[in-house]
Amino acid sequence: MLVDMPLDRLREYRPDPEEPADFDAFWKQTLDDAAGSPIDARFEPYDARLATVDVQDVTFAGWGGQPVKAWLLLPRHRSGPLPVVVQYIGYNGGRGIPYEWLTWSAAGYAHLVMDNRGQGGGGKTVADTADIAPDGHGSSSPGFLTRGIEDPYRHYYRRLITDAVRAVDAAKASPDVDPTRVAVIGGSQGGGLALAVAGLRDDLSAAIADVPFLCHYRRASQITDNGPYAEIGRWLKGHRFEVEKAMATLSYFDAVNFAARADCPAWFSVALMDNVCPPSTVVAAFHRYGGPAQLEVFPYNGHEGGAEYDVPRKLGALASVFGPS
Amino acid sequence: MLVDMPLDRLREYRPDPEEPADFDAFWKQTLDDAAGSPIDARFEPYDARLATVDVQDVTFAGWGGQPVKAWLLLPRHRSGPLPVVVQYIGYNGGRGIPYEWLTWSAAGYAHLVMDNRGQGGGGKTVADTADIAPDGHGSSSPGFLTRGIEDPYRHYYRRLITDAVRAVDAAKASPDVDPTRVAVIGGSQGGGLALAVAGLRDDLSAAIADVPFLCHYRRASQITDNGPYAEIGRWLKGHRFEVEKAMATLSYFDAVNFAARADCPAWFSVALMDNVCPPSTVVAAFHRYGGPAQLEVFPYNGHEGGAEYDVPRKLGALASVFGPS
Amino acid sequence: MLVDMPLDRLREYRPDPEEPADFDAFWKQTLDDAAGSPIDARFEPYDARLATVDVQDVTFAGWGGQPVKAWLLLPRHRSGPLPVVVQYIGYNGGRGIPYEWLTWSAAGYAHLVMDNRGQGGGGKTVADTADIAPDGHGSSSPGFLTRGIEDPYRHYYRRLITDAVRAVDAAKASPDVDPTRVAVIGGSQGGGLALAVAGLRDDLSAAIADVPFLCHYRRASQITDNGPYAEIGRWLKGHRFEVEKAMATLSYFDAVNFAARADCPAWFSVALMDNVCPPSTVVAAFHRYGGPAQLEVFPYNGHEGGAEYDVPRKLGALASVFGPS
Amino acid sequence: MLVDMPLDRLREYRPDPEEPADFDAFWKQTLDDAAGSPIDARFEPYDARLATVDVQDVTFAGWGGQPVKAWLLLPRHRSGPLPVVVQYIGYNGGRGIPYEWLTWSAAGYAHLVMDNRGQGGGGKTVADTADIAPDGHGSSSPGFLTRGIEDPYRHYYRRLITDAVRAVDAAKASPDVDPTRVAVIGGSQGGGLALAVAGLRDDLSAAIADVPFLCHYRRASQITDNGPYAEIGRWLKGHRFEVEKAMATLSYFDAVNFAARADCPAWFSVALMDNVCPPSTVVAAFHRYGGPAQLEVFPYNGHEGGAEYDVPRKLGALASVFGPS
Amino acid sequence: MLVDMPLDRLREYRPDPEEPADFDAFWKQTLDDAAGSPIDARFEPYDARLATVDVQDVTFAGWGGQPVKAWLLLPRHRSGPLPVVVQYIGYNGGRGIPYEWLTWSAAGYAHLVMDNRGQGGGGKTVADTADIAPDGHGSSSPGFLTRGIEDPYRHYYRRLITDAVRAVDAAKASPDVDPTRVAVIGGSQGGGLALAVAGLRDDLSAAIADVPFLCHYRRASQITDNGPYAEIGRWLKGHRFEVEKAMATLSYFDAVNFAARADCPAWFSVALMDNVCPPSTVVAAFHRYGGPAQLEVFPYNGHEGGAEYDVPRKLGALASVFGPS
Amino acid sequence: MLVDMPLDRLREYRPDPEEPADFDAFWKQTLDDAAGSPIDARFEPYDARLATVDVQDVTFAGWGGQPVKAWLLLPRHRSGPLPVVVQYIGYNGGRGIPYEWLTWSAAGYAHLVMDNRGQGGGGKTVADTADIAPDGHGSSSPGFLTRGIEDPYRHYYRRLITDAVRAVDAAKASPDVDPTRVAVIGGSQGGGLALAVAGLRDDLSAAIADVPFLCHYRRASQITDNGPYAEIGRWLKGHRFEVEKAMATLSYFDAVNFAARADCPAWFSVALMDNVCPPSTVVAAFHRYGGPAQLEVFPYNGHEGGAEYDVPRKLGALASVFGPS
């Protein structure tokens, strides 16, 4: 059943953003700090026993110069550098195993799949990247959204988003990649990260964000009890008097704010029965997106959105920005 | 949590099979009837916009000579016929869209994915094959397991298993396939179908059955309320006085009986927290398997079993029977 | 709790119908085709060991001339033909066993209870009528609402509604029935069928539809996850791009459209806490009913509606149209 | 799924009863006290607008001489007094409305349906009889099983069972009833009451107890969280140190103890998937039954047991003890 | 997630009250009748083995002069009579054990904790007070809210509210209490009782009602399926035709009506995710409160509201009315 | 309902422990490292506005010398140092607010309540202590039990248990505490910590562990899906091939192993319906306890165990070891 506004009201939904005054300064400082460490991207061959795909085990310096893992998948039969799809992964998953990620290299692109630091314990895809927070963090609900909620500088997503921004640098460092043709892509948390990176970089060809997470936290925490947004409410249930403080921290990581700063072409999708990333939170980001953007609506889907059935639309999007491969 | 016996008791579990006296005659007649229609396999190119994979839209004559759909995926860069993996799909899924099935062709094999007649409405993968039962069927629970439960000749799985047997003939009819090297594979319903085909054919190199469904219906219907086995109990809840009649019909489609007739090498997997296909029903088939067989145990998994993380084991199994590709 | 609009808004709810241009032609052709088979109603005595009721086991030619079962219950002490109540049964039930249907014959009427083809596996009442679809059907969700959703001509409800229309002919063929005094009645699916028959026949004295199903599919599929309406969403979850096609098929079987064509007096009931047949879908049909109609509202009931406590209202309705018995 | 022991172990299950030393004295005193009030049965005509059934609104003096309601249903066409079926109703239901009880009069018997004092608020059948406990009662869980659990003399079931014993006297007081042919019948709580009455009276022709409640409270409270047995555990959760006191009170109302004192022929039924009245509690009473007894097993049913589909078995049982009607 | 209106609409929510014409007369008669029995408060020392708290086991004459229990806790080191906090307990709890109630005596106040007659079986705190209703009551849902719903004079809350009013008299009878400084306090049912007492007495210094129950029954029964309000709907589900009768009875016990008659200062709290006592029902009482009142809003809490984290606010409130202790 | 073995089998349950060879060395090194930082306990007055209790805000150096918070509650009227109760808190709670902890100081003891580092986000009690893990940790399920599961040296419970051991040193550093009379106490995680401290210190008078967590991880993870033990299975669901590695890490933090090393008198409690800390895991620790130990059994309780109703037993235990206060 519908979990949020009907479609006609979603089309008009443009809430006031919650944006801290020093949003840009915060991120400039964060990325400048990160830029102090060289990207140091290493690409090791990985034997996945596949006949048509070359897999590389990637390590690069993410937040704090810490090692972040990724996969790079390349069609074995290739001639010269390829456009690259940089993919971010959903909540509590990780880069997993290469067999999960065969689509974009089969389509003829380089495909970098960034790992999620500290995640991967959700029982689905696993991760191989440690999360190191030298200053630690205070009380958190189980999960990642409230880890460091006492201070944006210590918040988990400051680290993960920095990793995501630098994953593009890592991809561009590969000799197999054409650094002028980079798209970011992801679903759910991966979609939120794609929007964040689109807002923080200016060298992207496209951003594809499916049923993105990390959007419009206040409303999300009021209208769903499912998925990671519910961690906010669980934390605030105990921390009754810290609602505004928590919202202030989260606003530094709100894709509604990143979207406003993006300018590359974007493709969003939203599912009207998605109780994990409710549609009004998605359209809040979509309506504020700074570049040209299209929205695909799945009226009877939940958080799975378009799944593999939406690959043709994305192949079309990539072809439109990358040109013939 | 564990949903069935602990592992040490599963290792010893060998229930008496429920096998009708005319099991072999029933299937001989069924397959002979089917053999009356030529396989008539057609392979049409399908534009999936992939650079490394050739996709073919397959149609062949299944039960009653009715058209059954499949995908054939082939590595684009190939030289000569390839060993083939014939895959069967889980309950209420279908052949879906080729992007869901990229693994085995990437590994260098031909890969035929058979559609499930009338299924595909479960909200996951879709199907494109109609189920035509000229004589109709009586009362059934929603689902497929009780459709035709009044008579084995009218039971849904008589038709689907016949399709599955003939999918191997279809695969062997492709000029891109080496007909001497055929493996059948599947998970859940697909695993049950792989076992059925292994019991009904003698030209297979291997059978790989993950967390197979279609096993030991009586026990299954007593120990789980989840998944399609629960359809049996739902039907019997109304049809209180027809327990033995229903069990007699189902015994013609019990993979425990097919397993006893198989002789190709087999690889099974079982998950100890699988409440859809409880482990005792899986080992009941495993312990009765007629050929050499190995069992992979996933102690903390549910019905997802090994998922993509189990691909290396299966690549190894295929390599061991197919030889170097 | 309330599951839909509050009562004051329901009183005003009159959505635009979704009605195909060839709705009347479709049904004319369908019923004309059916009329090509004689009704061939047979009434066999059935020994229910009851002292006050004569039970007859009825078979008549329904859709495609196929045999459809029914019960006819008659008060043993009777003199001459009786007005008849033709009853349709809820989703996934069937004619069951005569002890379930003792009310209307006890009230002095003939009572014909039509079976549901292929249903009866839901664990409650059972059915004895096979569903035969010579052309088969494509992908469906478990259940009946999406069986044949690819084409109105192959849809399950085309067959069942035709059976229902002809059940009136069967009843009128009984020597114990006064063919000038026929009422149709039913709850849930039975109520939807009663409305369909009221819209397709012009020889009825009354239609009684309790918490009717088969109404306003689009809204129903958006506002409830319970009961058979949810089958639509489950199917569309997989068939993401076929929403309008599915709605187009279903519009041929929408009681909102049948209601507009009916003219006999009608009694509806609706329950405000009914999450199986949400109240707005019921009133959508009620407000479009073509004849005189009354609506009974049960403010704190779910799909049970008025249950046996509503029998007096219906006895009054029948008495008002049939006159003294 | 099975909710208790498998059938072969149930066949052997004979737990030690928990029976207080003064069980017989307690009940002798209780019934003697009740006998101090004349039965004062009144039979008022009730217009149910039925053609074949005479309905009478019955009031008789139950526990404490308090007025208890019942329905008496009689076939309108009768000649002389009839054997009578005295029926008890399930937990939190009541005598409801006569249309719910048409079977046994249709079969040619008188049928007295006793109301449940204070019950009827469960949302199904309603009751019209007040529960008056002049001394009140202490702490109770919502529900009836722990009302008065501090003292068997103040326990709710002391009153209700006394009503049930006296309902037989009321039935026998009707001029339409043959007082030498009385059967007691009921399902769930009604079945427990039938067993209690069978153990406390010696003038019965038969007792029919379907999926009876009120059996083997200690085990019941340990193995199910569903239905009224769970009230025991809820009360003991708070009253941690009163387990034995509560069990001692309940033992006065345990049908396992009543069964041992009964001698009329009895028909039990049990359902192996019944999580309201788990099968081991039912067979504990069955195995201790003092007279000839038969057990019908429904292997795939829950608490609905045989429902109307079990009427033929009961018609046979009644015919065997009442002789030709 | 939010369970009711958003905060801005709650701020404006002022529904029309449902108030019977004889509301004041009903309560005057009830309390006058009760006043016919002397309060007869007895204070027995109770050895809780605590070093800093004197505990007294209190008995006083409540409704009908019946014995009602309470605890009185006093700081051991005290000099002279103390202001008193009279506390009422939540639904289906009771006075329990003194260790549950250490806060207000530690703060330097006398603290009387009134027991709930007949409650205490909910598995949390227990009760020691019998509920004696000499005239009994009719059909009720399990629970207390519908016990006696057929007649306000026989309704359970008539007795409990009378007890609550008299608990203040009992507290004032203690030589350790300063009878000029009395506050009433409670959460959930306890909050509803505090409001009732505030509306029925004129000698209170303050009323503190956290997430109060017993408010605006009609709306409550329409918008939540949780907690005791759901008992209303369960009863009305069976008693379909008695909605207005039930609402009329409940209106005598609606804290919305008591609030209008109160004039002492009051402190309310409400939780926006409270699905037991939905926020609109709380603010309906708050907005009608007759004296000065403040509302604390907990935006991310359920029925736990402010829990112990809200003690400072209440200490401040008490200090403001009681003055320095 | 019972969630594990019945009581008679629990009485005999003594599983083989999983104990690493270097268990003692691991903990010696860990505590020696911690001992390198001075305890540096600071006791600041905290104004809780209570008349009978002095509250102190405590900070001490825990694992890695990091600041850990605690409350110290003292009866205001005291003469000289008091025996002290050191309390540990349940999973995802924290030291919260002093009003939650009034019992033991009211009983005349000093009461130190240690905070849980990084916890407190579960929506109940909150925490004020950061968790700082300088080396970070790899993939974890949401929650704390799998944080650092890749290496016992990086596991969260290495830090928390070290804090707990040192909380005793902090308590002994207070001038208000008699350092020769120290008891440790806690429920759930707090009970597991009390057992760990009892196994790692030799200066304790008593350990009281209610329904302790942190016991027998392998079995716990196989028999319950509730509470924090389920985090193990969730992690292993993804990390299919790391079962033994995870169990090896957890064995360093298994209270079954700590219990074997303890020698002070101990009081355990267990609840037979506890699906968070199933009874067999509790008795596994109890049966291996090295000192004198008693077990209180709550047959109808879940994880709440004895709650406040069990305070008298614990007051007795403390009095027996502390002597007259």
Side-chain angles (χ1 to χ4, degrees), chain B residues 55-289:
Chain B
V55 181
Q56 297 176 359
D57 182 3
V58 183
T59 312
F60 68 91
W63 184 85
Q66 296 166 1
V68 174
K69 303 297 293 182
W71 298 119
L72 182 65
L73 292 93
L74 298 158
R76 178 153 302 163
H77 297 270
R78 62 187 183 274
S79 53
L82 294 168
V84 68
V85 176
V86 177
Q87 177 154 9
Y88 307 111
I89 308 304
Y91 187 80
N92 216 358
R95 68 169 187 166
I97 196 165
Y99 313 107
E100 303 178 89
W101 314 111
L102 297 177
T103 300
W104 303 119
S105 61
Y109 300 118
H111 184 202
L112 186 131
V113 182
M114 186 188 91
D115 208 14
N116 289 326
R117 55 168 60 224
Q119 297 193 8
K124 296 191 178 165
T125 60
V126 299
D128 300 309
T129 302
D131 179 32
I132 307 168
D135 301 323
H137 35 67
S139 172
S140 68
S141 294
F144 299 89
L145 200 48
T146 62
R147 203 174 282 184
I149 200 165
E150 70 275 16
D151 177 0
Y153 283 89
R154 299 170 82 169
H155 194 275
Y156 172 83
Y157 278 100
R158 180 167 176 253
R159 301 192 291 280
L160 186 65
I161 290 172
T162 301
D163 293 348
V165 168
R166 289 174 64 84
V168 173
D169 296 317
K172 292 167 72 169
S174 164
D176 291 300
V177 164
D178 171 357
T180 69
R181 293 190 290 172
V182 180
V184 290
I185 194 170
S188 195
Q189 178 184 266
L193 290 173
L195 293 175
V197 174
L200 291 170
R201 297 192 70 108
D202 56 7
D203 58 351
L204 302 178
S205 301
I208 300 180
D210 290 311
V211 293
F213 175 49
L214 303 179
C215 295
H216 200 357
Y217 297 102
R218 190 182 299 262
R219 178 171 170 85
S221 67
Q222 290 175 341
I223 65 171
T224 184
D225 281 344
N226 295 81
Y229 284 129
E231 297 171 13
I232 301 170
R234 207 174 310 130
W235 194 84
L236 289 173
K237 189 179 171 193
H239 296 78
R240 292 163 174 80
F241 306 114
E242 299 179 54
V243 173
E244 293 311 315
K245 175 180 169 187
M247 291 297 159
T249 293
L250 290 170
S251 68
Y252 288 89
F253 313 104
D254 190 336
V256 173
N257 296 332
F258 291 119
R261 287 157 174 79
D263 54 13
C264 69
W267 285 261
F268 285 72
S269 69
V270 66
L272 302 190
M273 297 185 174
D274 183 352
N275 62 7
V276 175
C277 293
S280 63
T281 63
V282 172
V283 302
F286 172 71
H287 284 147
R288 207 165 174 241
Y289 193 80

Side-chain angles (χ1 to χ4, degrees), chain C residues 188 213 220 224 226-229 273-278 281 303:
Chain C
S188 195
F213 177 49
T224 183
N226 294 80
Y229 283 129
M273 297 185 174
D274 183 351
N275 62 7
V276 175
C277 292
T281 64
H303 194 50

Side-chain angles (χ1 to χ4, degrees), chain E residues 204-237:
Chain E
L204 301 179
S205 301
I208 300 180
D210 290 311
V211 292
F213 176 51
L214 303 178
C215 295
H216 200 356
Y217 297 102
R218 190 183 298 262
R219 178 170 170 85
S221 67
Q222 289 176 340
I223 65 171
T224 183
D225 282 343
N226 294 81
Y229 284 129
E231 297 171 16
I232 301 170
R234 207 175 310 130
W235 194 84
L236 288 173
K237 190 179 170 192

Side-chain angles (χ1 to χ4, degrees), chain F residues 2 11 20 32 46 52 56 78 83 89 108 115 126 166-167 183 199 219 261-262 288 294 310 315:
Chain F
L2 297 184
R11 296 279 189 209
D32 286 353
Y46 176 92
T52 69
Q56 298 176 359
R78 62 188 181 275
I89 307 304
D115 208 13
V126 300
R166 289 174 65 84
R219 178 169 169 86
R261 285 157 175 80
R288 208 166 173 240
Q294 302 180 38
D310 201 24
L315 285 174

Side-chain angles (χ1 to χ4, degrees), chain F residues 119-253:
Chain F
Q119 297 192 9
K124 297 193 178 164
T125 60
V126 300
D128 300 308
T129 301
D131 179 32
I132 306 169
D135 301 322
H137 35 67
S139 172
S140 67
S141 293
F144 299 89
L145 200 48
T146 63
R147 204 175 281 183
I149 200 165
E150 69 275 17
D151 177 359
Y153 283 88
R154 300 170 82 168
H155 194 276
Y156 172 82
Y157 279 100
R158 182 170 174 250
R159 300 192 293 278
L160 186 64
I161 291 172
T162 300
D163 292 349
V165 168
R166 289 174 65 84
V168 173
D169 296 317
K172 291 167 73 169
S174 163
D176 291 302
V177 163
D178 172 357
T180 69
R181 293 190 288 172
V182 180
V184 290
I185 195 170
S188 195
Q189 179 185 264
L193 290 173
L195 293 174
V197 175
L200 291 170
R201 297 192 70 108
D202 57 7
D203 58 350
L204 302 178
S205 300
I208 299 180
D210 290 311
V211 292
F213 176 48
L214 303 178
C215 295
H216 200 356
Y217 297 101
R218 190 183 298 262
R219 178 169 169 86
S221 67
Q222 290 175 341
I223 65 172
T224 184
D225 281 344
N226 294 81
Y229 284 129
E231 297 171 14
I232 302 170
R234 207 175 309 131
W235 194 84
L236 289 173
K237 189 178 172 193
H239 296 77
R240 292 163 174 80
F241 307 114
E242 300 180 52
V243 173
E244 293 311 315
K245 176 181 169 187
M247 291 298 159
T249 293
L250 291 170
S251 68
Y252 288 88
F253 312 104

Side-chain angles (χ1 to χ4, degrees), chain E residues 49 99, chain F residues 83-85 104 107 109 181-186 204-210 264-269 292-296 310-325:
Chain E
R49 302 170 73 170
Y99 313 106
Chain F
V84 67
V85 176
W104 303 119
Y109 300 118
R181 293 190 288 172
V182 180
V184 290
I185 195 170
L204 302 178
S205 300
I208 299 180
D210 290 311
C264 68
W267 285 261
F268 285 72
S269 68
Q294 302 180 38
L295 179 67
E296 181 80 6
D310 201 24
V311 169
R313 182 179 64 92
K314 291 180 241 187
L315 285 174
L318 292 175
S320 75
V321 295
F322 285 157
S325 57

Side-chain angles (χ1 to χ4, degrees), chain D:
Chain D
M1 54 191 288
L2 297 184
V3 296
D4 200 337
M5 304 170 188
L7 184 56
D8 52 353
R9 285 180 52 211
L10 287 171
R11 296 279 189 209
E12 302 305 319
Y13 184 64
R14 287 177 169 77
D16 289 336
E18 300 200 32
E19 188 174 297
D22 66 341
F23 182 90
D24 292 305
F26 173 88
W27 280 107
K28 180 170 191 322
Q29 177 190 336
T30 296
L31 296 180
D32 285 353
D33 287 356
S37 305
I39 191 68
D40 190 21
R42 280 162 288 139
F43 302 87
E44 306 285 336
Y46 175 92
D47 181 11
R49 302 170 72 170
L50 293 177
T52 70
V53 190
D54 284 337
V55 181
Q56 298 176 359
D57 182 2
V58 183
T59 312
F60 68 91
W63 184 86
Q66 297 166 1
V68 174
K69 303 297 292 181
W71 297 119
L72 182 66
L73 293 93
L74 297 158
R76 177 153 303 162
H77 298 269
R78 63 187 181 274
S79 53
L82 295 168
V84 67
V85 176
V86 177
Q87 177 154 8
Y88 308 110
I89 307 305
Y91 187 80
N92 216 357
R95 68 168 186 167
I97 195 165
Y99 313 106
E100 302 177 90
W101 315 111
L102 298 178
T103 300
W104 303 121
S105 61
Y109 300 118
H111 184 203
L112 186 130
V113 182
M114 186 188 90
D115 208 13
N116 289 326
R117 54 168 59 223
Q119 298 192 10
K124 296 191 178 165
T125 60
V126 299
D128 300 308
T129 302
D131 179 32
I132 306 168
D135 301 322
H137 35 67
S139 171
S140 68
S141 293
F144 299 88
L145 200 48
T146 63
R147 204 175 281 186
I149 200 165
E150 70 274 16
D151 177 359
Y153 284 89
R154 300 169 82 168
H155 194 275
Y156 172 83
Y157 278 100
R158 182 169 175 250
R159 301 192 291 279
L160 186 64
I161 291 172
T162 300
D163 293 349
V165 169
R166 289 174 65 84
V168 173
D169 296 317
K172 291 167 73 169
S174 163
D176 291 301
V177 163
D178 171 358
T180 68
R181 292 190 289 171
V182 180
V184 290
I185 195 170
S188 196
Q189 179 184 265
L193 291 173
L195 293 174
V197 174
L200 292 170
R201 297 192 69 108
D202 58 7
D203 58 350
L204 301 178
S205 300
I208 300 180
D210 289 311
V211 293
F213 177 49
L214 303 178
C215 295
H216 200 355
Y217 297 102
R218 190 182 299 261
R219 179 171 170 84
S221 66
Q222 291 176 340
I223 64 172
T224 184
D225 282 344
N226 294 81
Y229 283 130
E231 297 171 14
I232 301 170
R234 207 175 309 130
W235 194 85
L236 289 173
K237 189 178 171 193
H239 296 78
R240 292 164 175 79
F241 306 115
E242 300 179 52
V243 173
E244 293 311 315
K245 176 180 168 186
M247 291 298 159
T249 294
L250 291 170
S251 68
Y252 288 88
F253 312 105
D254 190 336
V256 173
N257 296 332
F258 291 118
R261 285 156 174 81
D263 55 13
C264 69
W267 285 261
F268 285 73
S269 69
V270 66
L272 301 191
M273 297 184 173
D274 183 351
N275 62 8
V276 175
C277 292
S280 63
T281 64
V282 173
V283 301
F286 172 71
H287 283 147
R288 208 166 173 240
Y289 192 79
Q294 302 180 38
L295 179 68
E296 182 80 6
V297 178
F298 294 103
Y300 284 88
N301 284 91
H303 194 50
E304 74 285 353
E308 289 87 350
Y309 296 79
D310 201 25
V311 168
R313 182 179 65 92
K314 291 180 241 186
L315 286 174
L318 293 175
S320 75
V321 296
F322 286 158
S325 57

